[in-house]
């Protein structure tokens, strides 16, 4: 776990600005925020990807995320809190909680299109795997 920056934050080897902590998780301010007030929520146990996190812990993390979102809306006056799970930059599962405003300049992801019939092929692959 100490191989990642988040592991070092959990162990107190790297300072962070904590907003919430309990025995299972830690929430702290992102030092490179998408918007001011951007919070990262991480489990204290090390898991690289969301699908690796045990269901009970994952459920608890999203319940904590909801609690943080409510606090962020009330305290920051934002219109909503965007939730994002990417996990590519730091190999430790984390949830981004980003305060958003209806008139902010933040825009979504670049979107694409499917070729004819391609959407059905992708849907079949996924439903077969389920």
């Amino acid at each position: 776990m100490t191989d990642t920056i988040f592991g070092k934050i959990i162990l107190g080897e790297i300072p962070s600005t904590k907003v919430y902590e309990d025995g299972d998780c830690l929430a702290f301010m992102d030092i490179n925020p998408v918007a001011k007030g951007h919070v990262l929520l991480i489990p204290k146990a090390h898991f690289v990807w969301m699908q690796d996190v045990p269901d009970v812990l994952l459920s608890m993390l999203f319940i904590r995320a909801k609690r943080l979102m409510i606090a962020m809306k009330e305290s920051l006056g934002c219109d909503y809190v965007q939730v994002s799970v990417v996990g590519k930059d730091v190999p430790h599962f984390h949830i981004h909680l980003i305060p958003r405003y209806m008139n902010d300049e933040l825009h979504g992801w670049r979107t694409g299109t499917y070729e004819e019939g391609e959407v059905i092929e992708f849907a079949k692959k996924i439903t077969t795997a389920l």
Side-chain angles (χ1 to χ4, degrees):
M1 178 168 75
T2 59
D3 292 342
T4 72
I5 190 168
F6 290 168
K8 291 176 181 181
I9 288 171
I10 291 165
L11 295 172
E13 296 173 4
I14 294 176
S16 66
T17 305
K18 297 176 185 177
V19 295
Y20 178 82
E21 183 173 16
D22 63 28
D24 296 313
C25 67
L26 174 64
F28 54 95
M29 303 303 291
D30 192 314
I31 61 169
N32 295 306
V34 171
K36 291 182 180 179
H38 182 166
V39 171
L40 296 174
L41 175 62
I42 63 173
K44 287 185 174 178
H46 179 71
F47 300 97
V48 175
W49 301 109
M50 183 174 160
Q51 66 268 22
D52 300 331
V53 181
D55 290 348
V56 172
L57 178 58
L58 186 63
S59 298
M60 185 276 304
L61 287 165
F62 277 95
I63 290 168
R64 296 298 185 278
K66 179 182 175 182
R67 184 173 166 198
L68 286 161
M69 292 166 75
I70 292 167
M72 291 168 72
K73 260 195 89 180
E74 289 176 3
S75 64
L76 303 176
C78 57
D79 294 313
Y80 64 101
V81 177
Q82 179 177 326
V83 176
S84 178
V85 175
V86 182
K88 182 178 167 188
D89 297 327
V90 178
H92 186 117
F93 170 68
H94 54 288
I95 301 169
H96 292 264
L97 301 169
I98 304 166
R100 296 291 307 270
Y101 302 86
M102 292 301 186
N103 62 350
D104 64 26
E105 296 292 323
L106 302 175
H107 300 288
W109 294 277
R110 181 177 51 103
T111 61
T113 59
Y114 290 102
E115 298 294 325
E116 182 70 32
E118 193 177 31
V119 68
I120 294 169
E121 293 173 28
F122 277 82
K124 284 181 183 177
K125 289 178 182 180
I126 295 166
T127 55
T128 300
L130 288 172

